[in-house]
Amino acid sequence: MQKRLEGKVALITGASRGIGRELALAFAREGADIVVAAKSTESTERLPGSIHTVAKEIEALGRKALPVSCNVREEEEIQNTVSKAYETFGHIDILVNNAGALWWEPVLNTPSKRFDLIMDVNARGAFLCAQAVLPGMIRQDWGHIINMSPPIDLRVLPGRVAYFISKFGMTMLSLGLPGELQGKNVAVNSLWPVTIIESQASINWGLGDKSTWRKASIMADAALAVVTKEPKFRTGKALLDEDVLREEGVTDFSKYACVPGTDPAKIRFKE
């Protein structure tokens, strides 16, 4: 039986660990070849995993992997990544803007360098990556772009203004770009979890513990549900992982809990 992403090529930023790695492996299991784009070329104790370790895991699944060192703050590195992908595979069918910088701090605790970092990685990086892959997707009349960003809910802003300026910027890309792609078979959507996901960011920031987290596999399953459908099926949406999976008939989310038997709470912010 043909796999759902057979013949497709996915470029995933921030793919050296966490959600990005999980997406890369899930897409590979469904037949896709993967451009593993991330800054990490070596694994460290604080940041385990690299583009090369993930590439080996993909190849062990029988798929091709192209590890590329890519800092999405640098436009030249984005262009280089896309060029190498075309040289190696000839096309890019899926882009996941997963690379992200986290900063949950108030305005007074946000230095300008930190503000510039999260804006560059989150909003600007996603914008430039989308801009780089779009011409090819339009030519082939098929493409999916997923931005890892939340539905716009202004209640989340206090205490995290800078972060959500950058993340809502990504969502604006998902909401606005489809209007520029009318008549094209290219979809642009956002995807966001309803709980904290186990990742190096949640670990390093101390955002709860394993009993309050879900596995990254829930995001991979939700992303698969999006990119395995014809792009014209759904575009211009800010999606939540649970909602996407419910549409696929999933009613039991217990398998995604990091600690079996727990029911991780939904993300809540002060209003």
Side-chain angles (χ1 to χ4, degrees), residues 94-151:
I94 300 164
L95 165 68
V96 183
N97 281 313
N98 170 73
L102 182 64
W103 185 254
W104 281 11
E105 290 289 346
V107 169
L108 288 177
N109 292 350
T110 303
S112 60
K113 285 186 178 180
R114 179 60 62 171
F115 182 87
D116 291 344
L117 170 67
I118 58 179
M119 286 297 293
D120 284 354
V121 173
N122 298 340
R124 183 175 181 271
F127 184 95
L128 293 178
C129 286
Q131 193 177 62
V133 303
L134 271 174
M137 290 182 174
I138 291 170
R139 279 196 305 271
Q140 68 196 20
D141 198 35
W142 204 100
H144 275 285
I145 297 174
I146 293 182
N147 298 310
M148 292 300 192
S149 61

Side-chain angles (χ1 to χ4, degrees), residues 83-104:
S83 295
K84 285 187 174 181
Y86 272 96
E87 289 169 9
T88 304
F89 298 117
H91 55 105
I92 298 170
D93 306 287
I94 300 164
L95 165 68
V96 183
N97 281 313
N98 170 73
L102 182 64
W103 185 254
W104 281 11

